[in-house]
Amino acid sequence: GAGVSQSPRYKVAKRGQDVALRCDPISGHVSLFWYQQALGQGPEFLTYFQNEAQLDKSGLPSDRFFAERPEGSVSTLKIQRTQQEDSAVYLCASSLDLAGGSGANVLTFGAGSRLTVL
Amino acid sequence: AQSVTQLGSHVSVSEGALVLLRCNYSSSVPPYLFWYVQYPNQGLQLLLKYTTGATLVKGINGFEAEFKKSETSFHLTKPSAHMSDAAEYFCAVSSSPNYGQNFVFGPGTRLSVLP
């Protein structure tokens, strides 16, 4: 597609529920990133995929967070047994990841999925 | 470790006035620097970036930023504010050509433009 698409845009969950957030990156983009943006804060890195390989998951806050990108395109961020502190906007970004890192590796962000845990 | 400081969580300017949003960074390696803008309920949009070369970088919507290594700064400016510039602005630093993997964002500055 023309941009990075995220769904749902808004999700309200009761504490303890599992949620799944979807990201459709720009077609052909190799790299995909998930960020968490708490209210009034800048985005914080969660995890990074290159095609289907999850190369960095150092930012995932707990083992309740899980991300996958099985076919190297669409990605899903799953949060199990949600807690109130999980309330945030979850941003997905993708980049073409041209060889050599020439400066064309500009991240394109989606509009985000706003999760509210009651 | 890298970090970004944005002085002023909220800046107000009058329409037509100069916009100056401050960003200071710390990095142990030559940094890649970025400014992003976020409009309400939207994702981040790249305004401009510094990678190598010219230290004065021009971006979209009339914004520009100057990389000053001696001051570890990358302040964002626009000569004349427009009402449509009201948004949240984020400065980010990365040490990697893969960028997103190592992005560190600042806390953001909310810009208000008064008529």
Side-chain angles (χ1 to χ4, degrees), chain A residues 43-114:
Chain A
E44 293 191 357
F45 171 77
L46 292 177
T47 187
Y48 158 56
F49 290 87
Q50 189 173 83
N51 295 308
E52 69 278 4
Q54 189 175 21
L55 298 186
D56 188 343
K57 55 181 181 180
S58 61
L60 296 177
S62 78
D63 58 8
R64 295 186 296 104
F65 286 71
F66 173 76
E68 60 183 6
R69 194 186 185 197
E71 298 179 357
S73 54
V74 171
S75 178
T76 303
L77 176 67
K78 298 179 180 178
I79 309 173
Q80 297 177 323
R81 304 181 303 281
T82 53
Q83 303 294 315
Q84 284 189 321
E85 62 262 29
D86 300 335
S87 296
V89 175
Y90 291 86
L91 294 168
C92 177
S94 68
S95 74
L96 190 57
D97 199 20
L98 293 174
S102 64
N105 291 348
V106 175
L107 295 185
T108 301
F109 282 83
S113 292
R114 182 179 297 275

Side-chain angles (χ1 to χ4, degrees), chain A residues 9-10 33 35 37 40-43 45 48 56 91 97 101-103 105-107 109-111 114, chain B residues 32 36 38 41-46 49 51 90 97-108:
Chain A
R9 289 294 313 278
Y10 304 93
F33 307 86
Y35 292 85
Q37 185 178 18
Q41 302 294 319
F45 171 77
Y48 158 56
D56 188 343
L91 294 168
D97 199 20
S102 64
N105 291 348
V106 175
L107 295 185
F109 282 83
R114 182 179 297 275
Chain B
Y32 297 79
Y36 280 84
Q38 187 176 36
N41 299 316
Q42 295 188 27
L44 280 72
Q45 180 183 1
L46 180 67
K49 66 183 187 292
T51 53
F90 294 93
N98 283 329
Y99 301 151
Q101 187 175 3
N102 296 312
F103 263 41
V104 175
F105 285 89

Side-chain angles (χ1 to χ4, degrees), chain A residues 106, chain B residues 32-37 45-51 55-67 74-78 90-92 103:
Chain A
V106 175
Chain B
Y32 297 79
L33 295 160
F34 308 82
W35 275 99
Y36 280 84
V37 60
Q45 180 183 1
L46 180 67
L47 275 179
L48 50 79
K49 66 183 187 292
Y50 168 79
T51 53
T55 56
L56 181 62
V57 181
K58 296 186 184 297
I60 62 172
N61 301 340
F63 284 93
E64 62 182 37
E66 186 171 11
F67 169 53
F74 191 57
H75 301 329
L76 181 70
T77 61
K78 181 174 180 177
F90 294 93
C91 181
F103 263 41

